[in-house]
Amino acid sequence: MNVKTPSKLEKIFAAGHVAVTSECGPPRGSDPDSIVKKAELIKNHVDAINVTDNQTSVVRMSSLAACIRIKLMGLEPILQMVTRDRNRIALQSDILGAASFDIHNILCLSGDHQSFGDNKQGQNVHDLDSMQLVQTVRYMRDEGKFLGGEEIKRPPRMFVGAAANPFADPFEIRVPRLAKKVTCGAEFIQTQCIYNLDRFEEWMKRIRDRGLHEKVYIMAGMTPMKSVGMARYMKNRVPGMDVPDDVVKRLEGTPKEKQAEEGIKICVEAMERLKSCKGVAGFHIMAIEWEEKVPEIVEKAGLFPRPAVD
Amino acid sequence: MIVADKKPIEEIIESVKEFKKILILGCNECVTVCEAGGKKEVGILASALRMFFLNQGKDVKIDEQTLERQCDHEYLEEIRDVVDQYEAILSLACGVGVQFTAEKYHSTPILPGVNTCFLGATEQRGLWTERCQACGSCILAFTGGICPVSRCAKRLLNGPCGGSSKGKCEISKDVDCAWQLIIDRLKALGKLDEYEKVQPIKNWSTDRAGGPRRVVREDVAL
Ligand code: SF4
């Protein structure tokens, strides 16, 4: 097996398994139990757990601290890091901090604009962008050096990921953009939540046309709808989200108390369909504040039990 | 040009209400073009303040003057003889003009009468938009002549982010996505393949990050 890091996620991919990840959002407080409880809910059904970094620009417990908690449980965290809040000094420093706990996965993001969050009047940093952060982690790992050129004692050994949104505009550069992330050194990709399967498959086709699926592991992003209200919100309010009318209609036609169940069904059906989409190497399930449903989704999608790798 | 906007009148009143003799000092350059601090705005503000003080039953002398530039020693000299007649100067120039005036007339309070906003252009009458943040190391040659530093809300050098939707930025439907504009322009130039060149990590030391900046030109120094 040809792997570059000790990452369990990388090993799962390298062994040819369909990988499954999910995410835990850290709490709006310092209670350590909340992250541990969330991780407990999903730990047997996923290979690795993303920990979001002040998602939607709302202040939460630091992603790194929550990752450490998860690591101490013997699980596999994926450290999400946005370039919004930290300059290159802080980013490199946090990467080292994570590496000191043998956190072996990182997802490099630019982050939502702070105007979405609870500190709208704050500055943003954006010293690097997400692609440059990918380059930075790869450089630190592969060259064993800081951006400043000095040698790192015990460099980080991280499997490096990035996000992709197949549904944002302009569509024509969505594949070139992924190609750019691969050039920068991204090794796995987690996509935005997929509801428009046709458009996603079109994107994947263009990825295959360029052979990019052989250079990077692409994980399809899945978020089950809890209700028709959520579907409408995602459709109309979340920038870069593509929710086709038939998804909204299907939930509209479902009695209120059955909508959550229907949402899970839609999600599982999509996963079944995308399992046979060439180039999809795994699934990233973002069940926002609904972590308890992740095991059910994974099981129904036929992805349980999770494989063991060493 | 430097684009400024009017300060709320309440804020201006709060800053000048203790003074009895005030000079409102306009500037004939950028702030005139963006209709925030030229001769016309000096006149309007002077009338408003006179009205306010009159209603308060206060006898306050308010004079008006507009200089060619407040960011230039030479023009600032024009008020040297009269400065002592005033307890305060309310400058409607940009922040540069306000400071330059203050530096020259060290013992006179100089108050800002506008909010200095950005480097931009008049898109249409009544609408000014940002174009440059003076990062000190221009990359427009690589971005189709459109600046992601000033026009992308996340100043992404390798954009767009996942929030670009129908040509607009995730922060507001009123804001164009700079990267959509860049891509449209690269396409028009037949250079879309250049999009895939990764922009390297930027040296921000020429930006405000490097501390107060100077341009030193020995070739033109006296
Ligand atoms: S790249 Fe820098 S100098 Fe050039 S337009 Fe943008 S902010 Fe101004």
Side-chain angles (χ1 to χ4, degrees), chain A residues 88 110-113 115-116 124-132 135-136 147 165 168-170 172-174 176-177 179-180 183-184 192 210 236 239-240, chain B residues 153-167 169-171 173 177 179-180 183-184 187 192 194-204:
Chain A
R88 65 190 77 179
S110 52
D112 298 311
H113 193 262
S115 58
F116 290 96
N124 56 19
V125 181
H126 298 298
D127 180 13
L128 310 184
D129 64 23
S130 59
M131 295 212 195
Q132 294 164 343
Q135 285 180 318
T136 300
L147 287 178
N165 184 357
D169 291 320
E172 61 200 303
I173 58 91
R174 286 292 137 191
R177 182 160 169 74
K180 236 171 142 172
T183 305
C184 288
Q192 171 71 289
R210 292 189 53 170
N236 301 322
Chain B
K154 303 175 187 172
R155 67 177 188 189
L156 301 182
L157 299 186
N158 296 285
C161 75
S164 178
S165 187
K166 301 187 181 72
C169 173
E170 71 175 24
I171 64 164
K173 289 195 167 62
C177 167
W179 275 95
Q180 175 79 57
I183 286 151
D184 291 347
K187 225 188 322 179
L192 197 53
E194 286 191 11
Y195 171 76
E196 289 199 34
K197 276 192 208 144
V198 179
Q199 270 300 315
I201 291 175
K202 191 165 164 65
N203 174 356
W204 290 111

Side-chain angles (χ1 to χ4, degrees), chain B residues 43-54:
Chain B
I44 294 169
L45 182 59
S47 307
L49 288 179
R50 283 184 200 116
M51 190 88 79
F52 168 79
F53 286 120
L54 199 68

Side-chain angles (χ1 to χ4, degrees), chain A residues 133-179:
Chain A
L133 179 58
V134 168
Q135 285 180 318
T136 300
V137 190
R138 285 295 302 265
Y139 184 70
M140 291 173 77
R141 180 187 93 190
D142 299 341
E143 306 296 323
K145 286 182 181 164
F146 293 104
L147 287 178
E150 294 283 310
E151 202 176 304
I152 301 173
K153 297 197 180 78
R154 194 176 187 269
R157 293 159 79 202
M158 288 179 175
F159 187 47
V160 183
N165 184 357
F167 309 106
D169 291 320
F171 186 59
E172 61 200 303
I173 58 91
R174 286 292 137 191
V175 173
R177 182 160 169 74
L178 183 87

Side-chain angles (χ1 to χ4, degrees), chain B residues 43-189:
Chain B
I44 294 169
L45 182 59
S47 307
L49 288 179
R50 283 184 200 116
M51 190 88 79
F52 168 79
F53 286 120
L54 199 68
N55 283 340
Q56 301 276 308
K58 283 188 192 160
D59 181 20
V60 177
K61 173 178 149 83
I62 296 176
D63 287 345
E64 306 170 28
Q65 189 163 350
T66 297
L67 300 179
E68 195 53 35
R69 276 198 286 285
Q70 290 187 35
C71 56
D72 213 317
H73 285 298
E74 187 189 327
Y75 295 111
L76 276 175
E77 281 301 327
E78 290 175 14
I79 56 167
R80 178 156 308 276
D81 295 341
V82 296
V83 147
D84 289 342
Q85 300 170 19
Y86 301 101
E87 292 172 16
I89 295 177
L90 182 58
S91 165
L92 299 197
C94 69
V96 180
V98 175
Q99 292 180 69
F100 227 50
T101 308
E103 285 164 32
K104 210 165 193 66
Y105 301 110
H106 212 64
S107 54
T108 306
I110 316 284
L111 303 159
V114 300
N115 287 322
T116 304
C117 300
F118 49 77
L119 304 183
T122 314
E123 238 180 73
Q124 59 190 55
R125 190 85 199 270
L127 174 66
W128 293 271
T129 50
E130 186 167 15
R131 288 292 183 280
C132 173
Q133 282 184 0
C135 73
S137 170
C138 194
I139 57 164
L140 286 176
F142 310 108
T143 55
I146 288 154
C147 169
V149 176
S150 56
R151 302 184 69 185
C152 168
K154 303 175 187 172
R155 67 177 188 189
L156 301 182
L157 299 186
N158 296 285
C161 75
S164 178
S165 187
K166 301 187 181 72
K168 299 297 173 185
C169 173
E170 71 175 24
I171 64 164
S172 163
K173 289 195 167 62
D174 294 331
V175 176
D176 288 330
C177 167
W179 275 95
Q180 175 79 57
L181 299 176
I182 292 170
I183 286 151
D184 291 347
R185 175 105 165 119
L186 288 176
K187 225 188 322 179
L189 296 171

